[in-house]
Amino acid sequence: MLTSTSEPSNVLPAALDLEVGIPRLGLLSNGITPAGRRSTGCGEVWRWRDFILAYKTLGVVFGGLVTSPLYVYPSMNLNSPTEEDYLGIYSIMFWTLTLIGVFKYVFIALNADDNGEGGTFALYSLLCRHINIGNLPSRNVNSSTGVLYSNRSMTSETRSKLGKFLEESITAQRILLFIAMLGMCMLIGDGILTPAISVLSAIDGLRGPFPSVSKSAVEAISAVVLLALFLLQKHGTARVSFLFSPIMGTWTLTTPIIGVYSFLRFYPSIFKAVSPHYIVHFFLRNRRKGWELLGGTVLCITGAEAMFADLGHFNKRSIQMACLLTIYPSLVLTYAGQTAYLIKHPDDHNDGFYKFVPHPVYWPMFVIATLAAIVASQSLISATFSVIKQSVTLDYFPRVKVVHTSKHKEGEVYSPETNYILMVLCILVILGFGDGKDIGNAFGVVVILVMFITTLLLTLVMIIIWRAPVALAMLYFVPFFIIEGVYVSAVLTKIPKGGWFPFLVSVVLAFIMFVWYHGRQRKLEYEMRNKISVDSFNRLLSSLEIQRAPGLCFFYSNIQDGLTPLLGHYVRNMRSLHKVTILTTFRYLLVSKVDPNERIIIRKLGIEGLYGCVIQYGYADSLNVEGDNYISQVTNSMREHIRYNFDGLSPTSLEGEISQLEKAEEEAVVHVRGKTRFHIGVQTSFSDKILLGFYEFLHGNCRSALPALGVPLQQRMIIGMVYNT
């Protein structure tokens, strides 16, 4: 490996890692191909498709939200509750579901999509595409020409004062980026806690008919169920995913039926609690205790963020239809039935779900509840895989192995490292916390913080992008800031009681993402500042009398305009250059799929045997390039380019150029990539010592990009450089 210290000491390098330079922002929260988007066709057909998609959302989007009745009441630390207490709690849950679930997400947040995608990082991407924040703002690409063009809709004259402030403040930009990353990491924390609390709460139903079954036995059974679920992930869910929606549909239908039966039998006037004055009386009576109970009531809105985060998986109308027509009424009626039962049986709150299930249907409901909990867990596990996959693809996370488990669904992916870490953490949560109240304390922290982050980012979108008057934006921000702020203040008291776990996991993951992004940005800055022009490189080749070695070389670069400085470093030290050298860059586009005819863009660089190659892909694309197939795809595109862009070459010269390419491919193929490092010395600032030092640790231990393309070991070459910070 060649190693040297570069001459410029005041600028930092960009690593020549393969998969993507530093791509444009635009995260799809769970990486599944968008479906059901409106384009053309009969309105009746599209409405029918919306209904089908709405049905499918039950098994993917709403698993966490619709199974929340399993653990909401058991998570509350109630002490001798009265009828008025239960009415107040139901009123809080009703208005939380209505205001946050319906008004915030269904009617407002779903309209703030970024090219059809949702989630906290999509909101950040949307801001990046309209104002110049971050070192690499998001852009669209005209894939037919390969030309980048800005998608910003505002000139500096029309940009809001808030937008200008964010553009001018590096500190504000970094805080905003970290907040967006933290929101995404909270979703991963959700992927740890949802399987734990859902399965544990469902299996706890065994203790009703069999009181001799201990808590430890329930925890052990739950751990075994989760262990089996995680071990099956490598086989994918394609064969059983068709069962997800029927299972959740059955759950969504049966629980409100039992709820209606329950409140008609025990407390027919339960809906008087819809009046907000019951909330006021609840807090006046219970004061601090009532405020602390908010840490439990917040769980009724668990999974609402998935409506927004999974927007790219379905479409806005299908999610709205499913929520308004099934999920929202189902939860309102189910919680009404639970509360009505508990008013007449106030001490049964520790088992608030199974106790209100009538005895004749107890075991069928136990089976349905267990299956629903497993489906909800699977949805969050799959979403976590997709978030990690997208983060790696967008170069916001160290590379981990990602495997596509379905030939037909691009979004169905599996990550072994992520899977086993999730498995260990889920089982540790069950065995370490055990009691549903403690897991509920941890869960509440994740649930409300990601919603609070969404509120902050959505307000920025309203003011900066939608250009809503500040007064109008405040009509959204102030109420939800107060509601969610009160919830946040309540769940923060739960941090010492278990809430520290998901908070710590999320902060650590967000820090890893931030450090990785920071290191990649610093390296890219060096690439752009020290790129070599074609004329300069040509002079370098002439001055050093460089030998042209036989064979074909793929030289991977992060930049598309100009030549990477690492190529100059390679030539100076090796004193040779392959007869055919292809500077290859992978470019991520803000589109779902790139047309196969536009996947590979070839251009001549003005030096004999030197070509530029850009391989484009969208967020739902699999690169689909393996070993020899990858090489043949590129060389075939080069032949076509040479034939159709002969630039006045004679037939003899044209055939000679094609013959040279074919001969080079037959002689030898080598893949060269850069592995640059920061030199962290005495003069390095304290912050860089921490951030860049940790980045180097991550970079040194993550997977190489080349194995993802099936490149044989004997064809790989790594060129190293060390730069002063």
Side-chain angles (χ1 to χ4, degrees):
M1 176 161 125
L2 296 177
T3 304
S4 72
T5 302
S6 84
E7 297 172 3
S9 60
N10 58 336
V11 209
L12 295 171
L16 290 180
D17 286 330
L18 168 61
E19 79 244 15
V20 281
I22 301 283
R24 309 300 185 251
L25 304 177
L27 182 67
L28 174 63
S29 69
N30 67 3
I32 305 177
T33 306
R37 307 271 174 79
R38 290 190 191 317
S39 56
T40 59
C42 176
E44 290 292 334
V45 173
W46 282 111
R47 279 194 289 272
W48 177 243
R49 290 184 181 181
D50 283 338
F51 274 108
I52 295 175
L53 283 176
Y55 168 70
K56 291 181 177 180
T57 62
L58 299 180
V60 177
V61 177
F62 296 103
L65 182 59
V66 81
T67 55
S68 58
L70 283 169
Y71 46 76
V72 171
Y73 273 114
S75 298
M76 295 184 193
N77 189 21
L78 295 170
N79 186 18
S80 301
T82 64
E83 175 182 334
E84 293 297 315
D85 289 334
Y86 280 121
L87 291 174
I89 290 171
Y90 179 70
S91 187
I92 292 171
M93 291 194 293
F94 173 83
W95 285 108
T96 299
L97 285 167
T98 303
L99 293 175
I100 297 180
V102 175
F103 282 96
K104 175 183 173 178
Y105 282 103
V106 174
F107 291 142
I108 300 176
L110 289 180
N111 294 301
D113 66 291
D114 177 36
N115 287 328
E117 310 307 325
T120 55
F121 219 77
L123 290 175
Y124 178 75
S125 173
L126 192 61
L127 291 168
C128 287
R129 289 201 299 109
H130 287 79
I131 59 175
N132 188 20
I133 61 174
N135 294 326
L136 264 177
S138 181
R139 300 186 179 191
N140 285 334
V141 179
N142 183 337
S143 61
S144 62
T145 63
V147 178
L148 288 168
Y149 63 89
S150 175
N151 193 35
R152 298 190 180 93
S153 59
M154 304 175 207
T155 63
S156 58
E157 290 78 12
T158 62
R159 202 165 292 139
S160 67
K161 292 182 179 179
L162 181 58
K164 292 178 181 178
F165 167 75
L166 289 175
E167 287 183 339
E168 295 169 359
S169 174
I170 298 298
T171 302
Q173 291 175 22
R174 290 182 176 178
I175 292 174
L176 186 63
L177 174 61
F178 187 79
I179 288 174
M181 289 179 172
L182 184 61
M184 188 170 63
C185 292
M186 288 290 175
L187 179 64
I188 299 175
D190 199 355
I192 298 171
L193 294 174
T194 292
I197 195 170
S198 299
V199 173
L200 185 65
S201 299
I203 300 297
D204 198 52
L206 289 172
R207 301 182 66 214
F210 305 106
S212 59
V213 176
S214 65
K215 273 281 187 183
S216 299
V218 170
E219 293 168 13
I221 295 172
S222 301
V224 170
V225 170
L226 284 178
L227 182 65
L229 180 62
F230 280 106
L231 291 178
L232 290 173
Q233 293 302 309
K234 64 182 179 181
H235 301 293
T237 59
R239 296 180 181 178
V240 295
S241 59
F242 71 95
L243 295 173
F244 291 175
S245 292
I247 290 171
M248 300 311 296
T250 303
W251 170 265
T252 305
L253 178 65
T254 54
T255 51
I257 291 175
I258 296 174
V260 171
Y261 166 81
S262 181
F263 72 69
L264 289 178
R265 178 182 178 185
F266 296 110
Y267 202 88
S269 60
I270 184 65
F271 287 108
K272 68 182 181 181
V274 169
S275 173
H277 86 273
Y278 283 96
I279 298 177
V280 177
H281 290 170
F282 175 79
F283 286 115
L284 290 176
R285 282 194 317 275
N286 292 281
R287 298 184 182 275
R288 180 181 176 84
K289 184 65 176 177
W291 171 68
E292 291 177 349
L293 286 173
L294 289 176
T297 60
V298 72
L299 298 183
C300 74
I301 202 67
T302 297
E305 180 71 21
M307 282 191 281
F308 184 37
D310 285 338
L311 181 58
H313 189 173
F314 299 95
N315 64 24
K316 180 176 73 173
R317 185 178 293 274
S318 64
I319 293 175
Q320 289 175 329
M321 289 169 57
C323 183
L324 295 176
L325 298 179
T326 59
I327 303 302
Y328 177 70
S330 174
L331 289 171
V332 168
L333 293 174
T334 301
Y335 283 121
Q338 279 186 284
T339 307
Y341 172 86
L342 292 172
I343 287 174
K344 297 302 181 183
H345 307 82
D347 295 328
D348 285 349
H349 54 81
N350 285 327
D351 192 10
F353 177 78
Y354 282 109
K355 287 291 179 66
F356 105 107
V357 175
H359 184 72
V361 296
Y362 188 93
W363 285 113
M365 284 307 299
F366 172 80
V367 173
I368 295 172
T370 303
L371 291 176
I374 292 173
V375 172
S377 302
Q378 178 62 58
S379 298
L380 266 297
I381 294 169
S382 298
T384 302
F385 290 157
S386 296
V387 167
I388 293 296
K389 177 223 174 185
Q390 289 297 319
S391 300
V392 171
T393 301
L394 293 172
D395 214 11
Y396 275 85
F397 199 80
R399 286 181 298 275
V400 295
K401 185 177 182 180
V402 176
V403 179
H404 287 261
T405 57
S406 172
K407 296 181 180 179
H408 308 290
K409 295 181 180 179
E410 293 290 352
E412 192 171 299
V413 295
Y414 165 71
S415 171
E417 297 98 330
T418 305
N419 183 62
Y420 293 124
I421 291 173
L422 279 179
M423 179 181 72
V424 171
L425 291 177
C426 280
I427 293 175
L428 285 178
V429 165
I430 287 180
L431 301 181
F433 292 99
D435 188 78
K437 287 186 175 61
D438 291 334
I439 300 180
N441 291 336
F443 208 5
V445 173
V446 172
V447 169
I448 197 60
L449 282 179
V450 69
M451 293 180 180
F452 193 69
I453 289 171
T454 298
T455 295
L456 295 176
L457 295 177
L458 191 52
T459 303
L460 294 178
V461 169
M462 288 180 176
I463 296 173
I464 296 173
I465 301 174
W466 294 353
R467 301 311 303 272
V470 175
L472 184 60
M474 289 301 104
L475 288 178
Y476 162 80
F477 177 72
V478 173
F480 286 106
F481 180 82
I482 293 173
I483 294 170
E484 294 171 353
V486 171
Y487 267 124
V488 168
S489 67
V491 300
L492 288 180
T493 64
K494 307 295 184 181
I495 285 183
K497 303 175 183 177
W500 59 269
F501 180 76
F503 187 77
L504 178 63
V505 170
S506 300
V507 169
V508 169
L509 287 173
F511 182 70
I512 289 174
M513 293 181 70
F514 184 81
V515 168
W516 184 261
Y517 169 81
H518 178 71
R520 304 295 281 175
Q521 284 291 111
R522 296 287 292 271
K523 287 189 174 183
L524 185 66
E525 287 175 5
Y526 179 87
E527 287 279 345
M528 299 305 295
R529 293 177 186 177
N530 294 274
K531 62 185 179 182
I532 306 171
S533 68
V534 173
D535 291 339
S536 299
F537 187 67
N538 204 5
R539 288 195 296 270
L540 177 65
L541 294 179
S542 302
S543 64
L544 296 179
E545 298 181 353
I546 300 301
Q547 300 295 318
R548 301 302 294 266
L552 173 64
C553 173
F554 287 84
F555 203 107
Y556 296 98
S557 169
N558 285 340
I559 60 176
Q560 300 159 24
D561 300 321
L563 307 180
T564 170
L566 196 62
L567 181 62
H569 171 68
Y570 172 77
V571 167
R572 289 188 190 97
N573 285 274
M574 299 297 292
R575 299 283 172 155
S576 67
L577 183 69
H578 285 78
K579 288 184 178 179
V580 178
T581 301
I582 306 171
L583 294 179
T584 308
T585 302
F586 283 74
R587 177 197 282 167
Y588 170 80
L589 307 186
L590 282 174
V591 294
S592 59
K593 286 180 174 291
V594 175
D595 189 287
N597 295 326
E598 301 171 357
R599 172 66 54 84
I600 300 174
I601 298 174
I602 303 293
R603 58 192 173 97
K604 293 182 179 180
L605 297 179
I607 298 175
E608 183 183 355
L610 191 62
Y611 300 87
C613 172
V614 177
I615 300 177
Q616 304 183 131
Y617 61 99
Y619 52 73
D621 272 325
S622 172
L623 288 182
N624 193 30
V625 281
E626 295 289 339
D628 293 338
N629 184 40
Y630 162 52
I631 297 171
S632 64
Q633 286 183 47
V634 175
T635 53
N636 288 338
S637 296
M638 290 180 64
R639 291 188 189 95
E640 291 182 12
H641 177 83
I642 293 170
R643 287 193 178 99
Y644 290 104
N645 298 272
F646 53 87
D647 294 331
L649 292 176
S650 65
T652 305
S653 300
L654 180 64
E655 291 304 320
E657 191 170 346
I658 294 176
S659 175
Q660 182 187 46
L661 172 63
E662 294 174 346
K663 183 179 179 182
E665 187 178 356
E666 292 174 359
E667 289 174 334
V669 178
V670 64
H671 298 260
V672 180
R673 71 180 181 93
K675 193 172 183 65
T676 58
R677 299 196 60 182
F678 294 109
H679 174 68
I680 302 174
V682 178
Q683 297 181 347
T684 306
S685 67
F686 179 73
S687 61
D688 275 349
K689 285 182 179 179
I690 295 175
L691 295 177
L692 298 182
F694 188 43
Y695 168 79
E696 287 300 334
F697 170 78
L698 295 174
H699 191 253
N701 289 279
C702 71
R703 286 180 178 267
S704 168
L706 283 178
L709 301 178
V711 176
L713 284 172
Q714 63 271 21
Q715 293 183 4
R716 303 178 197 173
M717 179 182 293
I718 298 176
I719 304 300
M721 294 182 73
V722 180
Y723 300 105
N724 290 322
T725 55

